[in-house]
């Protein structure tokens, strides 16, 4: 490439020369600040006092931000409980008191077993509505390349899936020569536990708490990415697992074939792939304030098999603040960075006062230092 | 592949395949037979005259140009990666990988196409030039160049170029002579005469019949690349006559000073010698470039390691998890997740990793580097400070790939004449019959006076000259001085180009009053006759007459003869016309001298001679040449004033003049006749033998000469040379001068241009010194064989080198031989220790005193052992005197026989002490090595000596190689470049054809666009108008370029590594399945858009200090020599930074966008694409803002592009998100809907930037406060100076 540039330049220069010879003008280059590389420039100098100033200024700016952010995060109330083990433990028998993962898995795969369980939680702090309900899965690799690719963006938008898409959707691509809608393993493995909440509080009718499951997905997703004219295809709706899949594994929801994909917000949320193997997904929203002393009773349909791959399932109730959920990271980080800056600033100040370096001291020049060093190192030998 | 290579080679071969012989009809052509003036072209199968310098034809363009592109290994890698991206398992979409590659390739192809089209345009212009062609019927018709065929008869007019190589048939000039200019071929501007064979003179185009009937058969050698040889036989009118170079007119040269010529086409098109000769210059790669390759390999190894790790982990995990992960449907047929075939999963994972982490090897770096280098070159070209108004020439850059080499030069090999000096030769002094003439001061003398070291008895003052009779001259001198008070060397009415001589004894015809007027007259006659210059102008106007000579000093001699009244005005092949005007009043008298033979000058012969018959019938051989050569050939009995002439010439040499000895010999008629016949025979030999035979015959006749006198021509130093040399030396660059001049001349020029400085020890290794001569004398006495003499000389050289080596290493030579040297050394040692004792209390001065003592010791010991007991001529002149004239004969040495004793050293110690209190500490002792070509020949022949020589040279600041041949120049350069390896970088600078070898052998070659033509400039990687521009080229442009390129490469690796690390981090969380957590388009835009421009701007514009500061502190340059800005440590440092930055960039957003807590008040948790976009935001921010921390120079252009780059990310994600969902897919409305409304997104950005940059900032603060770099101190200095000025 370097020689190529040379060719180019050579040509350019030759051409220029010929032209100038013809025009008989002087070849003196024109003066511009740019071509003489004399543009005015700022050359920031890190002088000790400027360093101290910069650090302390940064520190002073960071600390208040940190305090405010941390406060917002601290104000969030979050209730979390893991239910996967509890919900199967009641089926433990005397002969098998501690269920193994295999046993749990086996249990889950048995269609004839009822899998619902009930869990109660006490609200200890006032929770202002809206209160968000999440389910959290652990050790679940939604971000596995194989899994991520196993869907068809085109299909969701109402277009016929491409060949590549269908190939990626395998083995969940076709059944009986008909394309599955939505195809692929992402949709097929849709989380299908359900939660019903009841409460002892007086302000609810019949003790049940209404969980709003609409508008839990991004507006653009449900309005544009997921088409409202596409309905789950029959194959998927009558999801007879014994026929479609070997019944050795279970999970994945039935889709309502009378409801277009854009209406199935659970699916939309699920299909927005999580970044990490442990993740939460929005399940619904309670639009009532909860007061301390309230007991919430969750009736869980524990359908989703996380036992086979040593995963976990949890249910979370959380309020939000202006920065979101309970996450002290931002606040603490700001405080740490700010604190560190102030500390460093003072260290520099101290060091500068104690041992200042005069600006532009020539004895720091490497060649001066070197000659002094040789003088010092050689003088003892001649003594 | 092999096919393409072959095709390529052949194509190339047809353009420039030098010397291999050309393929005609499938076989190599050894000789060809040409039927002159027979337009029956069907008979011959030689190539046409159409030339093409194009690399490609329309159908071969794409494959061949691609092939050129793919000669870079990196491109294969990129293509392989792109190929992998096509695989179904690839982590990025294929198009996002292919697009950058295609972009780069198309860019390369477009450039090739553009260049080729320009070449084609040039070809078309050439091929369509008109030429007068003989149609076979006595008429000339116009034809195009491309239609010419071998054997055609053509007519070329004055000033026109020859369309092909022609055999000269006739000329309108006298005696079939024409003149050609060969500027385009060899760069020489002088005219060369070509002469047709006498038998064909008559075919001059006037007589149609003669033209029509002209037939001849030419048998000559096949096409070859040698410009100076040609041999053949012309069969004409039943006679067979030899033809040679004088009859050959070469393509690319032009007809001058001649009406028109007729010629027969001999070689056409690509067979012409000029086309055969156009070898491309050797491609050189810069040190940084080579190092970059290594870094790329390192990166590649890293990449392989990471990919292997990925493959292994995903294989093992898949195997372990087995069928547990039911949502992956492991039991179905699934090639990429199949626990039963974990090995396949692992292999796929490996390739996946290769593509995913492929960012580690930056494709954009190559494009960026090229752009930056061209821009840097344009800065050099357009630099006003490097524009030479005298020649109206700008600097030229031929190899922008070597820009940064200019910032790392350790050693400069410089030619002297035309490079350090201006190659404007002025006749300055002469010695005739042992009397020296000429007044005035040379520049060397002036420089010496300025430095406070006068050169002692100078030939400019002729009075102490013992050979001169005192009785008469005293009065004459006085009279003249009174008469011409106002006139003098400084106010010289006779001064003109080539003549700066002033001596009232000779000028204005006064020489006839001199005692040896006859000899003087003869001397001037020789000057007027013995040369090959061609007069240009009308004889009636002497002042406008210009001489086209082979070298400017030859012209100067002819001009001098003119000034003395011997005006050479006309040359024919057999006569020389001189107009004599001896006295101002006398009418000029035209004299015609018969020129018989010319024994031409060559760098090997170092002399030229002519045989000439004077108008009075005398038959003489006139010679001029280097003293060493001529003096070897003098007649022992009639030697002429050899001793005086030698002495004068030596003195001339000392004051920096170029000297020649002028000699003659009276030829015996009979002897000459026999010699002339043999000589003519020898000249008609065809083939290689001819050269050696003529050489032998020249040697035979050039014996028994009588010396008449000698000349001293001043070669003026170029403006600004001493200052430039001084600063370059202070920049830590060792400067070697390789010159053909004498040792004395070189040493004194060395002082004049501050190459040798006060306080420097000169180590002289010469076979011309008296010590070395002693060997020869002994050999003469004892009748040694040639081998034994050589052995003796070699031993001498090797001993000298040993001494020099010990001196430079230990500061003294181990005592050997004489007892005096032992005594002196012990003196100097005791002195040294005494000095350091006295100085040890004051550390800043210790250094200087050490220097002083070391200097003293060095000078002393050198004086004793290296030049064998020479003494200072004058104690008051101090050690400079000792150094100045180490080789001067004993009589020149001053009165103080015993040299310096301890008392005097004590004085110098004191002065050193006082100096040290005032001045800054001085540099350590410096040495200079002076060596001559003969010694060098011995050194170059043996590896042991080579190594020793190198070691001495490394420790010397200046090296002067005198009397070296062009070949030796190249050899020395190669030796140093190879011998010192990667750690030293050699630059060669020169102006003449004799420097081409050196220029090509060095790491960087710089040509001076000088008087001696353009050959050096064409061979060089850079070309400048004046030597002093080298200072700016190196200290300013070179340093900047090195800095810019280094910073740029380091930053590039930092940047791409971040991308690589982040891909790896995200893979850790994605089961090592190769799924990036960000959109692949972000990644492909990262290197091409979001972060690419600011670093290119830095590569073009970055500065540390201003040119003025760079000149004030040349030492700043040393950082480049030490490779301080680009080395393994720095690469590791930047890799560490990238590792830390990428960790912050990845994990900080992850903490918020982990999907484990809402990142917005609306309760939404982040998905992979949300995390990816947020992470990418800071990934764009951090490296762009890092620029503000890592670099120190910002113009508005910097600011603009940094912020535009940052803005481009936001713009991109907005525009991309606004595209229909089928394009943007998961990134749809990412920014407007998801990220922008969230406070944490905006809070995250400053946090990550601060957290990432903080440690770096701390480190840089500490460094800047407690370990400031040199340039920072310099900036601080000028800043505080400015501030104080403001306050005042």
């Amino acid at each position: 490439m370097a020689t190529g540039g040379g060719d180019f330049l050579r040509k350019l220069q030759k051409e220029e020369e010929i032209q100038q010879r013809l025009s008989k003008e002087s070849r003196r280059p024109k003066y511009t600040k740019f071509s003489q590389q004399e543009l005015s420039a700022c050359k920031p100098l890190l002088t000790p006092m400027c360093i101290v100033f910069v650090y302390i200024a940064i520190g002073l700016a960071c600390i208040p931000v940190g305090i405010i952010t941390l406060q917002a995060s601290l104000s969030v109330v979050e209730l979390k409980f893991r239910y996967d083990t509890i919900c199967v433990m009641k089926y433990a028998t005397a002969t098998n008191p501690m269920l193994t993962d295999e046993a749990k898995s086996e249990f889950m795969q048995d269609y004839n077993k009822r899998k619902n369980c009930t869990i109660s939680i006490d609200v200890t702090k006032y929770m202002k509505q809206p209160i968000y309900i999440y389910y959290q899965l652990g050790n679940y690799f939604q971000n596995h390349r194989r899994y991520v690719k196993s869907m068809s963006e085109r299909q969701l938008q109402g277009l016929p899936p491409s060949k590549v898409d269908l190939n990626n959707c395998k083995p969940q691509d076709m059944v009986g020569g008909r394309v599955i809608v939505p195809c692929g393993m992402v949709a097929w493995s849709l989380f299908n536990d359900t939660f019903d909440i009841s409460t002892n509080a007086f302000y609810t009718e019949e003790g049940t708490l209404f969980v709003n499951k609409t508008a839990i997905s991004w507006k653009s997703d449900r309005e544009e990415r997921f088409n409202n004219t596409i309905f789950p295809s029959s194959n998927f709706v009558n999801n007879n697992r014994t026929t479609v899949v070997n019944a050795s594994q279970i999970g994945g929801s039935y889709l309502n074939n009378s409801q277009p994909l854009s209406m199935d917000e659970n699916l939309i949320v699920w299909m927005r792939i999580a970044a990490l193997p442990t993740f939460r997904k929005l399940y619904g929203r309670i639009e009532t304030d909860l007061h301390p002393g309230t007991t919430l009773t969750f009736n869980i349909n524990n359908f989703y098999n996380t036992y086979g791959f040593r995963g976990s399932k949890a249910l979370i109730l959380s309020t939000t603040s202006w920065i979101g959920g309970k996450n002290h990271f931002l606040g603490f980080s700001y405080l740490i960075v700010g604190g560190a800056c102030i500390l460093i600033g003072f260290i520099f100040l101290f060091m500068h006062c104690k041992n200042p370096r005069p600006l532009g001291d020539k004895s720091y020049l490497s060649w001066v230092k070197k000659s002094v060093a040789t003088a010092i190192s050689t003088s003892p030998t001649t003594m | 592949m092999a096919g393409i290579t072959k095709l390529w080679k052949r194509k190339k071969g047809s353009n420039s395949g030098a010397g291999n012989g050309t393929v005609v009809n499938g076989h190599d052509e050894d000789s060809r037979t040409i039927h002159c003036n027979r337009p029956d072209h069907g008979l011959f199968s030689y190539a046409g005259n159409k030339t093409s310098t194009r690399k490609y034809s329309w159908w071969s363009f794409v494959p061949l140009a691609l092939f050129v592109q793919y000669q870079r290994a990196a491109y294969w890698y990129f293509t392989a990666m792109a190929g992998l991206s096509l695989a179904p398992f690839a982590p990025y979409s294929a198009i996002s990988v292919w697009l950058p590659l295609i972009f780069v390739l198309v860019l390369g192809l477009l450039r090739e196409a553009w260049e080729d089209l320009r070449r084609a345009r040039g070809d078309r212009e050439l091929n369509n030039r008109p030429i007068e062609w003989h149609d076979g019927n006595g008429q000339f018709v116009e034809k195009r160049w491309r239609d010419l065929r071998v054997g055609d008869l053509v007519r070329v007019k004055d000033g026109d170029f020859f369309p092909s190589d022609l055999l000269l048939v006739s000329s309108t000039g006298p005696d079939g002579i024409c003149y050609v200019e060969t500027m385009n071929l060899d760069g020489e501007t002088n005219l060369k005469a070509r002469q047709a064979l006498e038998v064909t003179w008559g075919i001059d185009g006037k007589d149609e019949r003669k033209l029509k009937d002209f037939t001849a058969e030419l048998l000559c050698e096949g096409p070859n690349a040698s410009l100076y040889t040609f041999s053949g036989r012309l069969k004409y009118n039943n006679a067979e006559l030899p033809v040679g170079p004088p009859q050959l007119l070469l393509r690319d040269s032009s007809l001058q000073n001649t009406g028109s010529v007729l010629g027969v086409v001999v070689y056409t098109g690509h067979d012409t010698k000029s086309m055969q000769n156009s070898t491309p210059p050797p491609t050189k790669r810069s040190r940084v470039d080579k190092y970059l390759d290594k870094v790329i390999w390192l990166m590649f190894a890293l990449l392989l390691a990471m990919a292997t790790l990925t493959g292994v982990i995903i294989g093992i995990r898949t195997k372990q998890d087995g069928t547990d992960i039911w949502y992956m449907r492991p039991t179905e047929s699934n090639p990429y997740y199949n626990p039963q075939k974990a090995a396949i999963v692992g292999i796929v994972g490996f390739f996946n990793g290769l593509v995913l982490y492929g960012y580690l090897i930056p494709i954009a770096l190559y494009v960026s580097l090229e752009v930056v280098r061209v821009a840097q070159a344009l800065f050099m070209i357009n630099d006003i400070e490097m524009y030479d108004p005298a020649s109206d020439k700008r600097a030229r850059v031929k190899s922008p790939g070597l820009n940064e080499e200019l910032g790392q030069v350790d050693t400069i090999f410089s030619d002297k004449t035309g490079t350090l000096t201006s190659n404007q030769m002025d006749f300055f002094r002469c010695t005739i019959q042992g009397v020296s003439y000429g007044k005035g001061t040379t520049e060397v003398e002036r420089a010496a006076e300025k430095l406070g070291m006068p050169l002692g008895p100078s030939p400019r003052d002729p009075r102490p000259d013992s050979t001169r009779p005192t009785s008469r001259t005293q009065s004459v001198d006085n009279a003249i001085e009174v008469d011409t008070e106002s006139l003098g060397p400084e106010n010289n009415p006779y001064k003109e180009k080539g003549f700066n001589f002033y001596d009232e004894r000779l000028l204005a015809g006064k020489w006839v009053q001199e005692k040896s007027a006859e000899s003087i007259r003869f001397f001037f006659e020789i000057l007027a006759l013995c040369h090959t210059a061609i007069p240009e102008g009308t004889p009636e106007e002497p002042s406008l007459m210009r001489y086209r000579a082979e070298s400017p000093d030859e012209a100067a001699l002819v001009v001098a003869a003119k000034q003395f009244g011997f005006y050479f005005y006309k040359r024919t092949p057999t006569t020389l016309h001189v107009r004599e005007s001896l006295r101002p009043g006398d009418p000029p008298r035209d004299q015609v001298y018969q020129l018989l033979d010319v024994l031409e000058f060559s760098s090997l012969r170092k002399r030229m001679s002519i045989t000439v018959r004077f108008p009075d019938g005398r038959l003489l051989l006139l010679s001029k040449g280097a003293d060493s050569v001529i003096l070897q050939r003098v007649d022992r009995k009639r030697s002429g004033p050899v001793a005086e002439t030698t002495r004068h010439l030596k003195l001339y040499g000392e004051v920096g003049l170029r000297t020649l000895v002028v000699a003659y010999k009276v030829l015996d008629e009979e002897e000459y006749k026999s010699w002339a016949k043999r000589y003519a025979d020898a000249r008609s030999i065809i083939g290689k033998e001819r050269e050696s035979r003529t050489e032998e015959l020249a040697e035979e006749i050039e014996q028994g000469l009588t010396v008449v006198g000698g000349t001293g021509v001043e070669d003026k130093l170029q403006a600004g040379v001493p200052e430039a040399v001084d600063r370059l030396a202070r920049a830590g660059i060792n400067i070697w001068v390789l010159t053909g001049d004498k040792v004395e001349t070189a040493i004194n020029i060395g002082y004049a241009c501050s190459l040798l400085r006060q306080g420097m020890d000169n180590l002289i290794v010469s076979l011309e010194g008296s010590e070395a001569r002693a060997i020869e004398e002994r050999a003469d006495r004892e009748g040694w064989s040639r081998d034994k003499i050589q052995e003796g000389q070699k031993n001498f050289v090797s001993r000298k080198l040993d001494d020099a080596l010990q001196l430079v290493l230990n500061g003294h030579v181990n005592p050997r031989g004489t007892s005096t040297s032992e005594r002196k050394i012990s003196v100097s040692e005791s002195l040294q220790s005494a000095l350091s004792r006295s100085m040890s209390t004051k550390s800043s001065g210790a250094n200087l005193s050490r220097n002083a003592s070391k200097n003293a010791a060095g000078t002393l010991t050198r004086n004793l052992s290296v030049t064998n007991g020479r003494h200072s001529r004058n104690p008051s002149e101090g050690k400079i005197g000792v150094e100045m004239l180490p080789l001067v004969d004993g009589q020149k040495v001053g009165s103080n026989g015993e040299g310096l004793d301890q008392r005097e050293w004590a004085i110098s110690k004191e002065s050193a002490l006082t100096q040290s209190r005032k001045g800054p500490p001085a540099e350590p002792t410096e040495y200079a090595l002076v060596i001559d070509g003969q010694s060098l020949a011995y050194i170059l022949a043996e590896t042991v000596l080579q190594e020793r020589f190198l070691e001495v040279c490394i420790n010397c600041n200046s090296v002067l190689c005198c009397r070296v041949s062009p070949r030796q120049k190249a050899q020395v350069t190669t030796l140093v470049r190879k011998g010192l390896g990667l750690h030293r970088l050699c630059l060669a600078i020169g102006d003449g054809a004799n420097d081409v070898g050196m220029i090509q052998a060095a790491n960087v070659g710089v040509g001076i666009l000088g008087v001696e033509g353009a050959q050096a400039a064409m061979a060089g990687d850079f070309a400048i108008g004046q030597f002093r521009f080298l200072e700016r080229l190196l200290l300013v442009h070179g340093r900047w370029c090195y800095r810019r390129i280094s910073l740029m490469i380091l930053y590039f690796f930092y940047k791409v590594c971040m991308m690589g690390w982040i891909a790896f981090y995200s893979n850790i969380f994605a089961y090592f399945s190769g799924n990036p957590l960000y959109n692949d388009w972000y990644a492909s835009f990262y290197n091409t858009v979001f972060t690419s421009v600011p670093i290119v701007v830095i590569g073009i514009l970055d500065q540390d200090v201003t040119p003025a500061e760079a000149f004030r502190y040349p030492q700043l340059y040393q950082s480049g020599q030490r490779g301080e800005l680009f080395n393994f440590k720095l690469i590791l440092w930047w890799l560490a930074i990238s590792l830390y930055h990428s960790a912050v960039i990845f994990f900080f957003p992850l903490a918020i966008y982990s999907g484990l807590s809402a990142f917005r008040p609306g309760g939404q948790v982040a998905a992979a694409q949300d995390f990816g976009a947020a992470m990418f935001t800071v990934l764009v921010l951090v490296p762009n803002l890092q620029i503000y921390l890592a670099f120190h120079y910002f113009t508005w252009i910097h600011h603009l592009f940094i912020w535009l780059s940052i803005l481009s990310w936001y713009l991109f994600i907005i525009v991309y998100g606004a595209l229909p969902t089928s394009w943007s897919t998961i990134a749809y409305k990412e920014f407007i809907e998801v990220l922008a409304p969230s406070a944490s997104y905006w809070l995250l950005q400053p946090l990550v930037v601060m957290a990432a940059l903080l440690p770096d900032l701390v480190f840089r603060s500490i460094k800047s406060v407690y370990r400031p770099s040199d340039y920072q101190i310099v900036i601080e200095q000028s800043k505080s100076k400015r501030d104080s000025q403001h306050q005042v």
Side-chain angles (χ1 to χ4, degrees), chain B residues 331-403:
Chain B
T331 48
E332 314 285 331
S333 60
N334 181 346
Y336 308 125
Y337 185 86
N338 191 343
Q340 269 90 50
K341 290 177 184 162
I344 291 177
V345 176
I347 290 168
V348 168
F350 168 78
F351 284 115
N352 225 318
L354 277 189
V355 183
L356 195 65
Y357 317 137
Y359 292 101
L360 286 179
I361 292 162
I363 187 167
L365 177 59
Y366 289 91
V367 187
S368 309
L369 273 179
E370 193 177 355
V371 170
V372 162
R373 280 171 173 154
V374 168
Q376 289 174 341
L378 288 174
F379 273 132
M380 294 186 210
I381 294 164
N382 289 310
D383 190 347
I384 293 187
E385 305 276 323
M386 295 208 299
Y387 163 77
D388 182 17
S391 58
D392 190 29
K393 272 171 185 151
R394 299 177 180 197
R396 287 189 209 165
V397 181
K398 297 237 175 58
S399 316
L402 297 179
N403 286 351

Side-chain angles (χ1 to χ4, degrees), chain A residues 51-52 55 344-352, chain B residues 1258 1261-1262 1265:
Chain A
I51 291 170
V52 170
Y55 280 113
I344 294 166
F346 278 108
I347 291 174
F348 266 106
L349 188 64
F350 174 74
M351 279 169 45
H352 176 61
Chain B
V1258 171
S1261 310
I1262 293 174
V1265 175

Side-chain angles (χ1 to χ4, degrees), chain B residues 507-726:
Chain B
L507 284 167
K510 294 243 169 55
W511 57 269
V512 289
Q513 298 167 5
E514 285 288 291
K515 186 183 147 216
S516 48
E518 252 331 286
S519 297
I520 295 176
R521 179 202 161 103
F522 187 41
F523 180 79
F524 293 153
E525 274 181 307
I526 298 176
L527 292 191
L529 298 173
C530 182
H531 55 79
T532 53
I534 296 158
E536 230 182 27
T538 44
E540 278 65 42
E541 287 176 279
S543 58
L544 293 179
M545 184 60 94
R546 292 277 168 271
Y547 296 103
R548 294 253 208 171
E550 266 175 36
S551 68
D553 46 354
E554 187 164 55
L557 297 184
V558 187
V559 170
K562 177 178 86 179
Q563 285 285 358
F564 293 125
F566 295 84
Y567 170 35
F568 168 71
Y569 67 93
K570 190 176 168 199
R571 170 188 287 277
T572 71
T574 52
T575 55
L576 300 166
H577 299 249
V578 174
R579 184 164 295 165
E580 286 180 13
S581 40
L582 304 187
R583 285 167 190 283
D586 290 357
R589 206 149 50 95
D590 285 358
Q591 298 272 27
V592 180
Y593 297 78
Q594 299 295 321
L595 176 64
L596 302 171
D597 307 281
V598 178
L599 312 178
E600 275 162 1
F601 179 87
S602 77
S603 58
L604 215 70
R605 281 163 41 84
K606 291 183 183 168
R607 64 183 185 272
M608 74 151 295
S609 307
I610 59 168
T611 52
V612 62
R613 191 177 291 281
F614 273 48
D616 56 10
R618 280 180 298 161
L619 179 64
L620 291 171
L621 171 88
L622 309 180
S623 281
K624 67 172 197 243
D627 53 354
S628 58
V629 182
I630 296 287
L631 295 181
Q632 274 174 17
R633 291 171 175 78
V634 292
D635 190 350
R636 301 239 160 172
K637 286 172 216 138
R638 294 167 40 90
S639 63
V642 171
E644 293 86 354
T645 306
T646 320
R647 191 161 58 79
H648 287 145
L649 292 187
K650 186 163 257 171
L651 290 170
Y652 293 173
E654 273 165 27
V655 298
L657 302 179
R658 280 159 77 105
T659 59
L660 284 176
V661 177
V662 174
Y664 75 97
K665 171 188 179 182
V666 181
L667 294 171
D668 179 77
E669 292 286 346
E670 287 307 308
E671 260 178 54
Y672 173 73
K673 222 177 250 169
S674 94
W675 177 86
K677 190 176 171 313
R678 279 178 292 142
Y679 188 65
D681 286 349
R683 281 171 64 91
S684 62
I685 295 174
I686 299 169
K688 285 184 187 114
E689 211 182 297
R690 169 190 162 130
E691 208 172 310
S692 59
R693 187 79 190 106
T694 50
E695 180 67 24
E696 256 169 53
L697 283 164
E699 189 70 44
E700 184 189 316
I701 200 164
E702 289 171 322
Q703 292 289 347
L705 301 172
T706 308
V707 170
V708 184
T711 58
V713 172
E714 182 175 26
D715 187 3
K716 285 204 164 152
L717 281 183
Q718 284 186 13
V721 165
E723 292 82 2
V725 168
D726 183 50

